[in-house]
Amino acid sequence: MRVRLKEKLATSLTPDVLSRVYSSFDIVGDIAIIKAPDNPDSATAIAKQIMETHKKIRTVFSQTSPVEGNHRTRKLTLLAGQNTTLTKHKEAGCIFIVDVAKCYFSPRLSHEHLRVAQQISTKETVVNMFAGVGGFSVIIAKTSPQTRIYSIDINPIAHQFMTQNTQINGVENRVYPLLGDAKELVETQLQNTANRVLMPLPEKALQYLPTAVLALKKTGGWIHYYDFEHATSHENPVEKTQQKVTEKLGNLDIKHRFECCRIVRHTGPNWYQTVLDIQITS
Ligand SMILES: C[S@@+](CC[C@H](N)C(=O)[O-])C[C@H]1O[C@@H](n2cnc3c(N)ncnc32)[C@H](O)[C@@H]1O
């Protein structure tokens, strides 16, 4: 489908514009989000082409700001189709209702949702510190029927959709949506609780790492740590992330080892999103 779209757009766009549009192109439910060129006529033509190629898409938005603020949301401008930011997205056999203007949601995390879910053994307690509308939490609960997940988000609208998503996927008895700041909630309610902690908020990961350790059981456990890293062509972004995490945990006198560590995606020139699976051993 994507290849077909790229071929069609290639006939009307310069290679530069094509690569910008194409690399930013996301589909959430029946909504497509692109970084459109400034020229409004080209932007509308691209949007119409997308709707023609992908028959299930009913709306195309241009992303007109970076993902920003505490709630990690972005500004969207309608290019074509129905003017609604509410949609129903399917992933890994689960359904997610999401408002793409009011909450964070990225189909680019789908590989990570499943990768982490598949590591969970039969009966665990998980703390998801930055849960959004529940991507990791719902998929983990579905994949691992004896696992319980405390699922935190500071955005009241994301919390509301997360609650709804636990219900429509039938996991409301094992995913507990909590509204508030992850640090405050861990300190007041979730100390020494988890076998596993998820930290899918790269902007605050290093700052909140001691909180993730606090949420783990005293015997230790796993932290899935996401970060953004700058790296030149001579540097390894994963190693750079490992170095700063090692320094932070070393200062706290916490023993750890790294298991799977990888680049999740390229986020800009010389910028990467990385993930470290960290085993805390004491
Ligand atoms: C990148 S999104 C999470 C994506 C989500 N895990 C998924 O799989 O779709 C980060 C989330 O962290 C939330 N957030 C930001 N600061 C927070 C904090 N201090 N405590 C809890 N949640 C926070 C934002 O509202 C946002 O929904």
Side-chain angles (χ1 to χ4, degrees):
M1 196 93 98
R2 281 178 170 252
V3 176
R4 203 145 46 91
L5 177 68
K6 198 173 186 182
E7 281 166 6
K8 284 197 177 171
L9 291 178
T11 58
S12 52
L13 301 176
T14 64
D16 229 29
V17 175
L18 176 65
S19 103
R20 193 172 119 91
V21 171
Y22 193 73
S23 65
S24 67
F25 174 48
D26 274 343
I27 296 177
V28 183
D30 57 6
I31 296 177
I33 301 169
I34 62 170
K35 289 203 181 102
D38 294 336
N39 179 324
D41 291 340
S42 311
T44 310
I46 293 167
K48 288 192 173 145
Q49 185 76 79
I50 289 173
M51 289 182 71
E52 216 168 275
T53 313
H54 294 252
K55 295 292 180 210
K56 70 163 198 170
I57 289 176
R58 288 200 286 162
T59 304
V60 182
F61 285 109
S62 168
Q63 178 176 333
T64 47
S65 82
V67 172
E68 58 195 1
N70 248 353
H71 297 172
R72 311 308 301 147
T73 50
R74 53 194 166 175
K75 291 195 178 68
L76 300 174
T77 305
L78 182 69
L79 291 177
Q82 296 174 4
N83 192 6
T84 175
T85 50
L86 186 67
T87 191
K88 191 199 277 187
H89 183 80
K90 289 190 188 149
E91 186 187 313
C94 302
I95 293 171
F96 296 95
I97 311 281
V98 58
D99 186 320
V100 290
K102 295 180 180 153
C103 313
Y104 181 93
F105 189 86
S106 172
R108 292 169 195 236
L109 283 175
S110 61
H111 178 84
E112 281 303 305
H113 290 158
L114 263 188
R115 191 186 71 81
V116 171
Q118 283 163 355
Q119 289 181 37
I120 296 187
S121 55
T122 44
K123 197 174 178 182
E124 289 194 13
T125 301
V126 176
V127 171
N128 184 355
M129 289 172 63
F130 310 110
V133 300
F136 280 103
S137 304
V138 168
I139 291 173
I140 288 172
K142 273 279 194 196
T143 319
S144 186
Q146 285 184 298
T147 289
R148 299 179 301 167
I149 303 113
Y150 294 95
S151 198
I152 303 170
D153 206 281
I154 204 166
N155 175 357
I157 301 173
H159 173 267
Q160 198 182 309
F161 282 113
M162 187 200 323
T163 306
Q164 196 180 344
N165 290 331
T166 63
Q167 290 159 358
I168 55 181
N169 290 286
V171 293
E172 70 276 20
N173 55 342
R174 289 181 296 109
V175 178
Y176 314 122
L178 298 169
L179 174 62
D181 169 57
K183 184 169 187 294
E184 255 177 62
L185 286 166
V186 167
E187 285 176 358
T188 54
Q189 300 180 35
L190 297 172
Q191 287 192 39
N192 310 324
T193 302
N195 305 95
R196 193 177 293 273
V197 178
L198 275 53
M199 304 189 70
L201 178 58
E203 295 77 8
K204 288 187 185 160
L206 199 61
Q207 181 195 341
Y208 277 65
L209 188 55
T211 306
V213 176
L214 193 65
L216 284 177
K217 288 183 194 279
K218 286 211 167 109
T219 46
W222 290 93
I223 296 175
H224 301 282
Y225 175 94
Y226 293 84
D227 209 337
F228 288 135
E229 199 66 65
H230 183 270
T232 64
S233 55
H234 305 296
E235 293 175 317
N236 179 331
V238 172
E239 279 173 17
K240 283 185 85 176
T241 312
Q242 287 176 326
Q243 276 160 16
K244 69 187 186 199
V245 165
T246 298
E247 190 182 329
K248 183 91 173 184
L249 292 176
N251 290 340
L252 298 168
D253 204 19
I254 289 161
K255 293 202 172 56
H256 70 283
R257 69 174 194 91
F258 297 115
E259 179 79 26
C260 171
C261 300
R262 60 185 284 270
I263 294 172
V264 176
R265 63 194 173 107
H266 199 197
T267 54
N270 293 107
W271 277 97
Y272 302 86
Q273 183 175 9
T274 55
V275 59
L276 310 181
D277 294 349
I278 312 167
Q279 187 178 26
I280 303 295
T281 50
S282 72

